[in-house]
């Protein structure tokens, strides 16, 4: 007889086993379960670190590639302009501020008193020596002259009468008709009348001179200034008030001072009788106003400034120089011959000294140290390179020693474009004997070795 309890237990066990999920189903269920809530930030940090590392690796890789590309690319040529050095003469100049001074300046004042009757000149007129300028009323002085002439005539008659009496006394004394004393007295009377006549002659001459002072004429050739007195005014004799001022303009002089250091060179040229040219320049020292020559120098040195005054004379035929005008005087002290000359703009300066960039035949730049000497305008005498050497005039902010160049302009001295200049000519000797170095013509030296 079957056991119903046992069957019921087996059925329950079978049902329980059938409801149990398979391993695959259990695995899917476990995968769908969310991760623990306490560890999500660890995964976020891991993802951020991976992203940063990727970006860094990409940048390093790209920068390395660009550096390799730049290293592989050839350097670009620097565009420059050039010029060639040459052999020539250059002057040693001394420059100083000068003042234009007339050779003669006349301030006319009244020598006699009277009324101004006429003014014959016009303001700013050029006059010649002897031309009439002013007329003072001559009538009082004409009257004085007439009086003096009358007194002279009277005393001359008395002298003649005394002379006649003296002759008569001498004749009577020869016949023993009068005493010797009368003859002596008459001789002294004649001498007195002669003195009186001479005094009268002086008075007449003085009146004639004063009468001449009423007619004022120009004592020199020159230019009349502005009118200082008008007709109708009364002028006083011996007054310091000028009636007119006349200045000579042709020739004219310029006075300037130079340092005493240049005195031996200047004296050497003057002792040898050499004419030393002097140029008058404008305020900017760019335009030449007139040409002249050194006339003389002062006889002593100013101890307060250590300078000596020099005077130069200019023909001034075109009236370019005006009295009391300030000009820049440029004195040529001496001339240096057979010097190597380069454009002043080619010379650069650094802490080690002056240098130029020489363009080699392979179109590369080479820095060459030089010794700068005398500067004259846009040219400078140098030592360290020879003639026919091509030098750079621009592009100094990018030029380096050995850098390739591209010539945009300039004069080439040979078929190859340049020469090194080392073996072509020896450097000039004794350049820059104290000559003025024109700092305004020197470049700033924006390149350094």
């Amino acid at each position: 007889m079957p056991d119903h309890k046992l069957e019921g237990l087996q059925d329950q066990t079978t049902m329980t086993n059938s409801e149990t999920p398979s391993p695959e189903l259990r695995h899917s269920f476990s995968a769908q379960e969310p991760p623990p809530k306490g560890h999500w930030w660890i995964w976020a940090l891991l993802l951020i670190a991976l992203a940063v590392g990727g970006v860094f690796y990409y940048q390093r890789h790209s920068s390395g590639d660009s550096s390799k590309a730049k290293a592989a690319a050839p350097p670009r040529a620097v565009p420059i302009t050039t010029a060639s050095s040459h052999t020539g003469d250059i002057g040693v100049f001394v420059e100083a501020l000068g003042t234009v001074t007339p050779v003669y300046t006349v301030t006319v004042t009244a020598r006699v008193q009277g009324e101004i009757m006429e003014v014959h000149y016009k303001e700013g007129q050029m006059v010649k020596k002897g031309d009439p300028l002013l007329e003072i009323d001559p009538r009082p002085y004409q009257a004085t002259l007439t009086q003096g002439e009358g007194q002279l005539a009277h005393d001359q008659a008395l002298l003649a009468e005394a002379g006649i009496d003296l002759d008569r006394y001498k004749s009577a004394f020869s016949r023993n008709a009068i005493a010797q004393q009368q003859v002596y007295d008459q001789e002294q009377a004649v001498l007195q009348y002669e003195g009186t006549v001479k005094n009268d002659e002086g008075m007449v001459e003085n009146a004639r001179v004063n009468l001449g002072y009423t007619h004022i004429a120009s004592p020199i050739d020159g230019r009349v200034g502005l009118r200082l007195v008008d007709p109708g005014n009364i002028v006083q004799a011996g007054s310091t008030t000028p009636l007119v001022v006349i200045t000579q303009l042709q020739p004219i002089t310029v006075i300037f001072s130079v340092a005493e250091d240049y005195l031996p060179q200047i004296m050497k040229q003057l002792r040898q009788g050499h004419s030393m040219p002097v140029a008058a320049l404008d305020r900017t020292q760019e335009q030449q106003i007139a040409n002249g020559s050194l006339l003389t120098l002062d006889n002593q040195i100013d101890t307060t400034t250590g300078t000596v005054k020099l005077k130069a004379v200019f023909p001034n035929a075109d009236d370019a120089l005006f009295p009391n005008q300030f000009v820049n005087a440029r004195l040529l002290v001496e001339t240096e011959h057979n010097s190597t000359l380069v454009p002043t703009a080619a010379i650069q300066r650094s802490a080690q000294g002056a240098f130029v960039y020489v363009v080699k035949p392979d179109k590369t730049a080479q820095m060459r140290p030089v010794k700068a000497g005398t500067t004259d305008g846009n040219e400078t005498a140098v030592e360290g390179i020879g003639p026919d050497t091509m030098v750079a005039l621009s592009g100094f902010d990018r030029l380096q020693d050995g850098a390739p160049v591209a010539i945009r302009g300039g004069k080439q001295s040979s078929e190859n474009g340049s020469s090194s200049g080392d073996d072509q000519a020896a450097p000039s000797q004794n350049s820059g004997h104290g000559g003025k170095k024109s700092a305004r013509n020197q470049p700033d030296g924006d390149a350094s070795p």
Side-chain angles (χ1 to χ4, degrees):
M1 181 174 178
D3 192 350
H4 296 283
K5 293 183 181 180
L6 182 60
E7 293 178 353
L9 182 60
Q10 292 178 349
D11 295 335
Q12 186 178 0
T13 303
T14 303
M15 186 180 297
T16 303
N17 291 336
S18 62
E19 293 177 355
T20 302
S22 63
E24 292 82 4
L25 187 59
R26 287 199 304 269
H27 179 71
S28 62
F29 288 163
S30 62
Q32 293 177 359
E33 293 178 358
K37 295 182 179 180
H39 301 283
W40 65 269
W41 57 273
I42 297 177
W43 295 98
L45 291 178
L46 181 60
L47 292 175
I48 293 173
L50 291 175
V52 172
V55 171
F56 181 74
Y57 174 78
Y58 175 77
Q59 290 180 348
R60 287 291 301 272
H61 182 70
S62 60
S63 63
D65 293 342
S66 61
S67 299
K68 292 179 181 179
K70 290 182 180 179
R76 297 182 58 184
V78 179
I80 62 171
T81 56
T82 60
S84 295
S85 62
H86 64 279
T87 301
D89 300 339
I90 189 169
V92 180
F93 292 91
V94 178
E95 297 182 1
L97 182 64
T99 304
V100 179
T101 306
V103 177
Y104 296 111
T105 300
V106 179
T107 301
V108 179
T109 58
R111 301 287 298 271
V112 293
Q113 179 179 350
E115 179 185 354
I116 298 295
M117 304 297 293
E118 285 186 82
V119 176
H120 296 290
Y121 67 89
K122 295 181 179 180
E123 295 176 314
Q125 176 185 346
M126 298 295 297
V127 296
K128 298 292 183 180
K129 183 178 180 179
D131 290 348
L133 300 177
L134 296 167
E135 291 290 342
I136 300 177
D137 188 3
R139 291 171 297 179
Y141 303 97
Q142 183 64 54
T144 302
L145 176 59
T146 302
Q147 291 177 352
E149 291 175 344
Q151 184 66 38
L152 174 62
H154 175 268
D155 293 337
Q156 285 176 340
L158 293 177
L159 175 61
E161 183 181 2
I164 294 172
D165 291 341
L166 178 60
D167 292 339
R168 187 171 60 249
Y169 289 162
K170 287 182 178 180
S171 176
F173 176 72
S174 63
R175 296 191 304 269
N176 293 324
I178 60 173
Q180 179 73 32
Q181 185 64 37
Q182 286 183 311
V183 177
Y184 290 158
D185 292 343
Q186 190 62 31
E187 288 178 350
Q188 298 303 316
V190 170
L191 294 176
Q192 291 177 4
Y193 284 122
E194 288 178 350
T196 302
V197 168
K198 188 173 291 292
N199 181 73
D200 293 341
E201 290 175 348
M203 296 295 292
V204 169
E205 188 63 27
N206 181 66
R208 188 175 288 114
V209 170
N210 288 335
L211 180 61
Y213 287 154
T214 62
H215 173 76
I216 300 177
S218 175
I220 61 171
D221 297 344
R223 187 175 187 269
V224 180
L226 301 179
R227 187 171 66 247
L228 302 178
V229 64
D230 298 322
N233 288 278
I234 303 297
V235 295
Q236 302 295 327
S239 175
T240 58
T241 303
L243 303 180
V244 63
V245 178
I246 308 170
T247 55
Q248 180 175 331
L249 301 181
Q250 299 171 354
I252 203 166
T253 60
V254 173
I255 296 178
F256 57 99
S257 300
V258 301
E260 58 182 328
D261 300 337
Y262 299 110
L263 190 57
Q265 295 172 281
I266 297 173
M267 291 298 297
K268 177 182 177 182
Q269 299 293 332
L270 292 178
R271 283 194 299 267
Q272 295 176 354
H274 295 165
S275 178
M276 304 179 67
V278 180
L281 308 177
D282 63 355
R283 185 185 301 271
T284 61
Q285 300 188 17
E286 295 179 354
Q287 182 179 359
Q288 185 168 311
I289 303 175
N291 286 318
S293 60
L294 183 64
L295 181 63
T296 185
L297 70 161
D298 202 357
N299 59 355
Q300 59 184 352
I301 296 174
D302 188 349
T303 57
T304 59
T305 59
T307 59
V308 60
K309 290 183 178 180
L310 279 70
K311 177 181 284 189
V313 60
F314 296 81
N316 200 31
D318 56 352
D319 294 332
L321 297 177
F322 204 78
N324 296 334
Q325 177 184 0
F326 288 104
V327 296
N328 288 288
R330 196 164 185 254
L331 171 65
L332 176 61
V333 178
E334 61 178 333
T335 302
E336 298 177 0
H337 303 283
N338 299 324
S339 300
T340 301
L341 307 179
V342 298
T344 305
I347 300 176
Q348 302 295 298
R349 284 175 169 78
S350 65
Q352 288 73 28
F355 65 94
V356 297
Y357 282 108
V358 174
V359 180
K360 299 171 65 177
D362 58 356
K363 296 298 187 298
T364 58
Q366 180 184 16
M367 189 182 68
R368 191 78 58 82
V370 295
K371 180 181 178 181
T374 303
T375 297
D376 182 10
N378 295 325
E379 288 189 327
T380 300
V382 295
E383 296 180 1
I385 62 173
D388 299 327
T389 301
M390 184 172 290
V391 294
L393 296 181
S394 62
F396 300 113
D397 55 341
R398 298 174 57 189
L399 274 180
Q400 295 180 0
D401 196 9
V405 297
I407 300 176
R408 295 186 300 182
K411 298 179 180 180
Q412 298 185 2
S413 58
S414 63
E415 295 179 357
N416 294 330
S418 67
S419 58
S420 61
D422 290 333
D423 302 327
Q424 296 176 4
S428 60
Q429 298 179 355
N430 299 329
S431 65
H433 298 283
K436 178 178 177 60
K437 308 297 187 298
S438 299
R440 58 185 176 85
N441 293 330
Q442 302 292 352
D444 295 335
D446 46 0
S448 59

